[in-house]
Structures are given as structure tokens and as C-alpha cells.
Amino acid sequence: MEPMLKDLFAGQSYNEKSFFLIAGPCVVESEELVMEVADKVSGICKNLGIPYVFKASYRKANRTSASSFTGLGDETGLALVKKVGETYKLPTTSDIHAHEEAAEAAKYVDILQIPAFLCRQTDLLVAAAETGKIVNVKKGQFLSGPSMKFAVEKIKNAGNNKIILTERGTTFGYQDLVVDYRNIPWMQAHQTPVVMDVTHSLQQPNQTSGVTGGNPQLISTIAKAAIATGADGLFIETHPNPAVALSDGANMLKLDLLGGLLEQLVKLRAAIV
């Protein structure tokens, strides 16, 4: 594990050869939810030796419908993400959508996540880099892995070498995504850890209902293939009851299914490392 990640997970006991996990609910819905998810996932990861980053969006700025839930308010959402980190001794992450959000969010989280749709936004990448935090850039659904070198260059040119890249599927027609696993080694060639966003790669966007659909029954398939092709980490959104989740419920993993999946993935990782 490279120094950036060793520093990030310094407070956790883990298997040096394991993949790391970024997981949590899509958005901060309530204190009760984020604490429940963090408690369950951190316990599973500790038992399996998996380094863990808690994830929840403090605000969702890219909802399909104007009537969709966007958050509890920036300060409230960020404070709850920070509280999770402090309570469970975990690194945390949340996404930002504009350059002016970077410095404020950096006060609360350890990793700034750049949404896929915004991975070419130079001012956003530079602002995130200038905070000195780790910057996790999701590959745009419209880009190849090799073309992500330009996002990496923008961040490095701003004086920050702490970069993660995340694969999250490629647009296939108007309402579906496919995963090209060549992007994992292609993006690792940029000298960054590469994460597979398992749940977002199963989205079915642009539905006429205004609510994104998904194929959660394929979460295990996508995750196993990512581990088999050498992903450094996995990104999985999870919720106790995805049917009532306020964002991305159609592609999230039910919380009580996470432990069994991770056990399989740890065995798979051990078999190929």
C-alpha cells in the first residue's frame, strides 16, 4: 500500500494486501442513518482487515428532478460526516460540486470527491488540490481511462500528488452504463490508486420518471470482476432499506448484505494477490 493510503488508514488495523473500501449512504439523511451505517460497516471491515473510508454526500447537487431531496443543509451535513469520522475513528469523504465549496468541505473530510460529470472542471480540480486533501476524481461516463491523465495533471500542477481515480461505468445509449475493466489498469498507469464504484456503475440514468433506476442484483458481479482485474479499492453505497432511501436507492446495496459480499471479495483478493 502506498504512503498516501498508509497515512490515511494509520488508525486502523488491516491486511496490507487487502483492497480498501469507500462506503456509506448516498446522502446524509439523518444522524441516525449515518451512525447506523458507519457502526455496521466499520465493524465488518475491522473483522475482515479491510481499510475503510466512510462516505456520505452532504449535499446532492446533481439530482435528476428539481423536487428530489438534496440534503439537510451544508453545515449540518458536513458536521454529521465529521462526527462519524470522530466517533468511529475513520477517514471520511464527500463530494463537492463547485470550486468555492472545496476549502469549506476540506475542514470536515479527509478526501474530496469530484463527481464524474465534473471531472474536466479545471477550477474545481485546482481548488480541491489546493486544500492539500486527497482528491478522488471519478472518471466521466464520457471518458476513457487514458484520458484521465489530464485530470491528474491539473491536480499535480496545483501542487498536490494525493490523487485517487475512480471508475464508474461508461454511458451506453441514453439510459444505461457498461463497465470497461480495461480502465482499471489504464488509470493505474497514471500512478494513482484506482477504485471501482460498484453501485453507481449499475445506474440507469435519465429515466422519464425523473428518478434514476439501477441493477443492484449485479453488485456482486461488478465487485468480483473489479477485484479480479486488480482494483485497489471499491466504492459501494449502502443503506439499511434502499427502498426508502432519499437518493440512489435503486442501485444501493442493502446493508445486511454487505458483510457476506465482502467476505467473498476478501477470499477472491487473497487468491489472486
Side-chain angles (χ1 to χ4, degrees), residues 14-15 18 43-50 258-259 262-263 266:
Y14 57 86
N15 181 343
S18 179
I44 294 169
C45 288
K46 184 176 181 179
N47 289 337
L48 294 175
I50 300 172
L258 181 64
L262 291 176
E263 287 178 8
V266 166

Side-chain angles (χ1 to χ4, degrees), residues 114-121 125 137-138 140 142-143 148 151:
I114 307 299
F117 284 129
L118 301 176
C119 68
R120 294 180 60 183
Q121 296 296 109
L125 293 171
V137 188
K138 290 194 173 185
F142 42 86
L143 292 176
M148 287 299 289

Side-chain angles (χ1 to χ4, degrees), residues 56 73 75 79 84 126 150 162 164 185 200 226 234 237 251-252 257:
E75 187 174 349
V84 167
V126 170
F150 300 109
K162 296 184 289 186
I164 296 171
H200 284 102
L234 297 178
E237 288 190 335
N251 54 267
M252 278 200 279
L257 299 177

Side-chain angles (χ1 to χ4, degrees), residues 13-260:
S13 297
Y14 57 86
N15 181 343
E16 184 76 22
K17 295 182 179 180
S18 179
F19 58 91
F20 64 92
L21 178 69
I22 301 174
C26 181
V27 65
V28 177
E29 299 178 14
S30 67
E31 180 171 350
E32 292 75 18
L33 173 68
V34 295
M35 289 297 179
E36 177 184 358
V37 173
D39 184 72
K40 181 71 176 288
V41 180
S42 63
I44 294 169
C45 288
K46 184 176 181 179
N47 289 337
L48 294 175
I50 300 172
Y52 173 44
V53 178
F54 175 81
K55 181 270 169 185
S57 296
Y58 68 91
R59 173 158 55 92
K60 298 299 292 183
N62 57 344
R63 303 307 307 276
T64 302
S65 171
S67 62
S68 297
F69 177 77
T70 58
L72 301 174
D74 291 1
E75 187 174 349
T76 298
L78 283 166
L80 285 173
V81 173
K82 184 177 181 179
K83 185 174 182 179
V84 167
E86 292 175 342
T87 301
Y88 293 97
K89 304 296 188 293
L90 298 171
T92 59
T93 186
S94 193
D95 40 347
I96 58 173
H97 299 84
H99 68 275
E100 60 267 20
E101 298 174 25
E104 186 63 22
K107 298 175 184 177
Y108 296 85
V109 301
D110 301 284
I111 303 173
L112 295 176
Q113 178 182 296
I114 307 299
F117 284 129
L118 301 176
C119 68
R120 294 180 60 183
Q121 296 296 109
T122 302
D123 59 348
L124 179 59
L125 293 171
V126 170
E130 289 177 343
T131 67
K133 296 288 185 174
I134 297 172
V135 183
N136 177 19
V137 188
K138 290 194 173 185
K139 181 187 72 66
Q141 301 91 323
F142 42 86
L143 292 176
S144 69
S147 67
M148 287 299 289
K149 69 179 181 179
F150 300 109
V152 171
E153 287 174 356
K154 290 175 183 179
I155 296 169
K156 287 185 175 180
N157 289 341
N160 189 336
N161 292 317
K162 296 184 289 186
I163 306 165
I164 296 171
L165 295 178
T166 294
E167 164 64 27
R168 55 96 71 235
T170 301
T171 299
F172 185 72
Y174 290 109
Q175 294 174 323
D176 208 355
L177 298 167
V178 293
V179 177
D180 181 352
Y181 286 94
R182 295 177 300 175
N183 283 319
I184 292 176
W186 278 342
M187 290 197 291
Q188 287 171 331
H190 303 316
Q191 304 302 307
T192 69
V194 173
V195 171
M196 179 73 230
D197 184 341
V198 177
T199 46
H200 284 102
S201 68
L202 290 167
Q203 285 183 330
Q204 293 178 313
N206 306 319
Q207 301 295 312
T208 55
S209 65
V211 179
T212 296
N215 288 296
Q217 70 276 12
L218 293 174
I219 287 173
S220 176
T221 300
I222 297 293
K224 289 174 182 176
I227 293 300
T229 48
D232 299 287
L234 297 178
F235 180 111
I236 300 175
E237 288 190 335
T238 184
H239 192 285
N241 185 1
V244 301
L246 298 181
S247 178
D248 283 359
N251 54 267
M252 278 200 279
L253 181 66
K254 198 169 189 299
L255 184 58
D256 63 11
L257 299 177
L258 181 64

